[in-house]
Amino acid sequence: MVTGTPGPCVGNIAPIERLNFSGLCLHDGPLAIRQAIYASVFPAELSVAASWDRALSHQRGLYMAREFRGKGAHVALGPVVGPLGRSPFGGRNWEGFSPDAYLSGELVAQTVEGIQAAGVQATTKHYILNEQETQRNPSVNANGTTIEAISSNVDDKTMHETYLWPFANAVHAGTASIMCSYNRLNGSYGCQNSKTLNGLLKDELGFQGYVMSDWLGTHAGVASIEAGLDLDMPGGIFFFAGSPSYFGGNVTLAVNNGSLSSGRIDDMVLRIMTPYYFLNQDKDYPPIDGYTSKIGFFPAANYVDNFTLGPIVDVRQQAHTKLIRDLGAAGTVLLKNFNSSLPLRKPKNIGVFGNDAADFTQGQYSLAISSDTVLADGNYDIGTLAVGGGSGTGRFTYVVSPLDAIKARAQSYGALTQYITSNDFIAGGGIAALAPVPLDVCLVFLKSWASEGADRTTLVAEWNSTVVVEKVTAVCPNTIVVLHGAAPNVLLPWANNPNVTAILAAHMPGQETGNSLVDILWGDVDPSGRLPYTIAKNETDYAKNLVNSTALLETTDPNAWQADFVEGNLIDYKEFDAKNSSVAYEFGFGLSYTTFNISNIQITGAPANASRRPNPSAPTLPGGNVELWETLATVSVTVTNTGSVAGSTVPQLYLTFPAEADAPTRSLRGFDKVALNSGASGTVQFPLMRRDLSYWNVVTQDWTLPVGNIEVSVGFSSRDLPLTGNLAV
């Protein structure tokens, strides 16, 4: 029960026939049931964050989990809030939502609730401070010395206010499982750290589910169990590691020799089995899809023979396809729209340029599994980048490429579409190969690759992107640039080029990527996405927050890899606000095809009458002390669509705390997605919980309301906040 076994899924708990227990199937991942065919590939969490839409986040979790369930998977290995995004260079940032803890917390809660509404267990990961890929696992140097994994070293205040915050939302939402991370935490491995697992997660947050290891993230047996690890994955003998589990028979031996109590084993099993029964997975659960047995992580000969395998099931549904298309559009951010060049007005001669426009050319899957290659860069140079690579990817049944969708729309009204998808050819002057007809509009598609296993080396779109834009704009005065892939993208030297009339950050929209984009380009859908991160003017404007050097790669010191989180809570927009630095596009920014006004701020509630700290005698339920989740005040505003077309916007609320709190200049504490017809108005309410109004007091070791006035600011981005007020606490 506490040790994974070889089997048809990416992780397996073996059936126990005498107990009529059919076992558990665990599968990646955060945007698709990766190890399957005839399944959908949903937008990445990055796109969900850019939508700022709680309802779509919940619906995505529900629909995705229905596909997991249809394939017989009991446990979905997602959602992701670690990495949070401390470094803009993090290779797996796209798997998560946003470097803002509040935004990530709200969306992870909706995702967890959606997944578990389908009767599937959510596994929120990677807990915690898992903020870089470089040296995430131990390595062995040329002398045979084991060099330990990176140690993320953080203070208590930063831990609570930034990195633990979204995990608390996930626990409060009822996540069945938490996956601990590869890295070390203040010197101890994440799956062997009693402070974070027992102290913060199980005691302070009241987590009642089970902690599972990341694959091969366990480095001890009894020590890990006593530190709070409940389930070792993958267990058995992992085919590319060749080493047995630290659990398995070692657990039996430890109990029998008295070094581990049987009571702790009972607790582990209780935690593992509680979600199984709570979600009714013991009743008529679908068998494991037969296809998984053909591509499992283990050779078929090693499978235990008592898993029930069913037929290959097609779990795709039209409703899922529509959600993917809608969410892909909702997560697209319009950054520039000079002279209202968008939406397109049936241009007759369309040019499409760039390697991101085309269909895949090297297959539909960006994770290679073999004895010598675990993670690979997949199908890029040429091919649209709809999601990233690694274990968080999906196996596409199909993709609607931007080029195909644009050609289809153009053909519907008789327009001409010309295209070149080789960046090398464009950079070499190949645009001259097009027919000598003036182009009404040029659409340039750029991308930034990111994958598990490596951090990014640049924040500029790859494949000679700057030269591609220069070549196109030289012949096309109406050039629209579309960016897919990892975020943020910075160093856009062409952003102020007068011939670049519009810029769209389309992120990672999943299988309907082309259709989602065409809906925005031709104005079928108002662009309502907003940036869930900051785009700086220069790459060096960011604190890189990524540990890597030649000296470290050649070190003989086992503990040389140390990441000190000296910036504290000041990441992304909080960093730029603290330095009062100008940026290219601020956190929360995004344009629409209409305009909005915000007015009439009202603040109600009397938090000044509340105790400074939550009652320590109040119950601790999943999420922590129940009083932390009680609403103490409410802010309301009026939003009006002052433009000529229907559209959606995202009013945002930020708080500025008194000096006592030692808090960032401003912190997001409320948002809502609002759809309004032209001329219509609506009231938006932002409930503020005790947790939202408190800071972590390292002396009292508790959430504490500061004394004085909290400044409330409401607007349309972190730097567009026309409404202000004060909340006395």
Side-chain angles (χ1 to χ4, degrees):
M1 289 302 306
V2 302
T3 310
T5 185
C9 305
V10 71
N12 305 269
I13 294 179
I16 304 174
E17 293 181 358
R18 65 183 177 83
L19 299 178
N20 197 30
F21 172 61
S22 58
L24 292 180
C25 169
L26 294 71
H27 263 312
D28 294 325
L31 59 75
I33 178 165
R34 176 182 60 78
Q35 198 167 313
I37 58 172
Y38 303 127
S40 304
V41 177
F42 290 79
E45 286 182 18
L46 171 62
S47 284
V48 179
S51 79
W52 292 65
D53 194 314
R54 290 181 178 87
L56 287 179
S57 183
H58 184 280
Q59 191 177 32
R60 171 183 174 274
L62 175 66
Y63 286 178
M64 190 167 62
R66 285 177 177 172
E67 299 200 359
F68 275 76
R69 183 183 178 94
K71 292 287 190 180
H74 302 84
V75 182
L77 300 178
V80 173
V81 286
L84 184 68
R86 175 188 182 233
S87 171
F89 292 85
R92 298 185 80 174
N93 289 355
W94 64 273
E95 290 187 43
F97 296 103
S98 164
D100 182 77
Y102 181 87
L103 179 57
S104 287
E106 293 298 299
L107 297 176
V108 75
Q110 292 294 332
T111 304
V112 166
E113 290 175 3
I115 289 172
Q116 297 194 169
V120 174
Q121 299 180 37
T123 303
T124 306
K125 62 183 189 178
H126 306 82
Y127 184 79
I128 194 169
L129 308 181
N130 175 47
E131 296 297 321
Q132 70 174 62
E133 291 299 280
T134 307
Q135 197 65 19
R136 65 176 185 168
N137 277 314
S139 60
V140 178
N141 67 11
N143 297 326
T145 301
T146 296
I147 307 301
E148 304 296 345
I150 187 84
S151 178
S152 298
N153 306 320
V154 71
D155 64 276
D156 187 34
K157 182 177 176 68
T158 301
M159 172 67 91
H160 280 84
E161 293 178 352
T162 293
Y163 297 98
L164 188 63
W165 183 285
F167 282 100
N169 287 80
V171 172
H172 187 252
T175 186
S177 179
I178 295 285
M179 181 187 290
C180 50
S181 55
Y182 286 130
N183 53 285
R184 292 182 293 161
L185 313 168
N186 292 347
S188 298
Y189 276 99
C191 294
Q192 194 178 328
N193 189 302
S194 183
K195 174 62 177 179
T196 57
L197 299 181
N198 288 328
L200 298 180
L201 183 61
K202 293 183 177 180
D203 291 343
E204 186 178 316
L205 297 186
F207 176 58
Q208 298 175 356
Y210 58 100
V211 177
M212 77 167 73
S213 70
D214 203 342
W215 270 229
L216 300 177
T218 306
H219 297 278
V222 171
S224 293
I225 292 172
E226 291 185 335
L229 181 62
D230 301 303
L231 175 62
D232 179 42
M233 278 291 161
I237 297 178
F238 208 44
F239 79 92
F240 63 79
S243 59
S245 169
Y246 285 98
F247 280 30
N250 295 321
V251 176
T252 305
L253 179 64
V255 172
N256 287 340
N257 68 20
S259 59
L260 183 65
S261 73
S262 59
R264 173 65 181 116
I265 304 302
D266 291 343
D267 174 59
M268 296 162 72
V269 175
L270 179 65
R271 287 173 174 274
I272 293 168
M273 292 304 296
T274 296
Y276 175 77
Y277 288 109
F278 179 76
L279 296 172
N280 297 313
Q281 292 184 333
D282 59 318
K283 300 174 182 176
D284 301 320
Y285 207 81
I288 298 171
D289 185 289
Y291 178 71
T292 61
S293 65
K294 298 179 176 64
I295 61 164
F297 273 13
F298 302 92
N302 289 345
Y303 289 177
V304 293
D305 58 12
N306 52 349
F307 281 98
T308 300
L309 299 180
I312 299 174
V313 180
D314 187 342
V315 293
R316 299 168 297 173
Q317 295 184 24
Q318 186 59 41
H320 301 182
T321 301
K322 182 179 185 305
L323 178 276
I324 293 168
R325 181 171 182 164
D326 291 347
L327 181 52
T332 298
V333 182
L334 179 61
L335 297 176
K336 180 180 180 180
N337 196 17
F338 182 69
N339 284 339
S340 299
S341 60
L342 289 177
L344 298 177
R345 298 166 182 84
K346 293 188 176 181
K348 295 293 291 183
N349 190 15
I350 303 168
V352 179
F353 303 95
N355 61 354
D356 178 62
D359 202 343
F360 305 137
T361 54
Q362 295 184 36
Q364 294 79 30
Y365 194 49
S366 296
L367 174 66
I369 299 293
S370 69
S371 59
D372 58 353
T373 304
V374 181
L375 302 171
D377 280 359
N379 49 338
Y380 312 108
D381 181 22
I382 296 177
T384 192
L385 204 162
V387 299
S391 63
T393 193
R395 182 180 293 275
F396 286 89
T397 302
Y398 73 91
V399 68
V400 179
S401 73
L403 178 57
D404 287 343
I406 290 166
K407 288 194 293 184
R409 175 57 69 96
Q411 187 178 5
S412 71
Y413 61 89
L416 170 66
T417 304
Q418 303 183 70
Y419 50 93
I420 301 173
T421 60
S422 169
N423 282 14
D424 291 340
F425 188 66
I426 296 168
I431 292 178
L434 298 183
V437 180
L439 294 165
D440 297 321
V441 62
C442 297
L443 302 169
V444 177
F445 288 85
L446 310 178
K447 62 187 177 182
S448 294
W449 169 253
S451 173
E452 179 182 5
D455 293 306
R456 299 168 67 192
T457 58
T458 179
L459 302 183
V460 183
E462 293 98 343
W463 292 282
N464 217 8
S465 64
T466 299
V467 174
V468 169
V469 176
E470 290 172 349
K471 292 292 185 181
V472 175
T473 54
V475 299
C476 188
N478 184 22
T479 298
I480 295 167
V481 179
V482 180
L483 298 159
H484 278 122
N489 290 291
V490 297
L491 286 179
L492 308 180
W494 39 261
N496 294 323
N497 183 325
N499 287 352
V500 174
T501 56
I503 304 172
L504 286 164
H507 298 115
M508 293 186 174
Q511 66 190 32
E512 287 285 312
T513 175
N515 287 334
S516 297
L517 184 65
V518 161
D519 288 345
I520 294 290
L521 290 173
W522 270 266
D524 301 336
V525 175
D526 175 57
S528 63
R530 301 295 183 260
L531 289 178
Y533 51 83
T534 300
I535 298 180
K537 290 183 175 180
N538 299 289
E539 195 167 85
T540 53
D541 291 345
Y542 293 98
K544 191 169 186 179
N545 292 338
L546 185 70
V547 176
N548 194 10
S549 70
T550 302
L552 284 173
L553 294 174
E554 298 174 354
T555 186
T556 58
D557 178 2
N559 292 300
W561 287 82
Q562 303 287 328
D564 297 327
F565 287 40
V566 294
E567 73 286 348
N569 293 315
L570 302 182
I571 61 173
D572 199 73
Y573 70 93
K574 297 172 183 176
E575 171 195 354
F576 291 100
D577 287 347
K579 296 187 297 187
N580 196 28
S581 300
S582 62
V583 299
Y585 301 102
E586 72 270 19
F587 177 85
F589 176 82
L591 302 173
S592 299
Y593 293 153
T594 186
T595 56
F596 295 93
N597 181 59
I598 193 165
S599 62
N600 191 29
I601 185 170
Q602 301 288 329
I603 302 175
T604 59
N609 297 327
S611 61
R612 296 294 99 190
R613 297 163 58 187
N615 184 349
S617 299
T620 297
L621 294 178
N625 187 307
V626 294
E627 290 192 357
L628 289 172
W629 302 88
E630 294 177 352
T631 298
L632 297 186
T634 301
V635 178
S636 65
V637 297
T638 301
V639 180
T640 303
N641 183 341
T642 57
S644 59
V645 298
S648 298
T649 190
V650 183
Q652 302 158 37
L653 179 148
Y654 295 81
L655 299 182
T656 299
F657 289 84
E660 170 194 339
D662 189 23
T665 303
R666 61 185 63 88
S667 300
L668 181 70
R669 286 295 184 268
F671 67 90
D672 200 8
K673 191 71 167 278
V674 182
L676 293 169
N677 290 324
S678 175
S681 297
T683 299
V684 177
Q685 292 190 330
F686 304 102
L688 294 170
M689 296 180 289
R690 173 184 285 272
R691 180 174 180 247
D692 299 323
L693 300 172
S694 299
Y695 70 95
W696 181 255
N697 189 316
V698 297
V699 176
T700 63
Q701 287 291 288
D702 208 349
W703 290 100
T704 303
L705 293 173
V707 176
N709 288 324
I710 296 177
E711 182 180 291
V712 179
S713 303
V714 183
F716 295 119
S717 78
S718 64
R719 295 194 172 184
D720 177 15
L721 300 167
L723 302 182
T724 59
N726 286 302
L727 181 63
V729 290

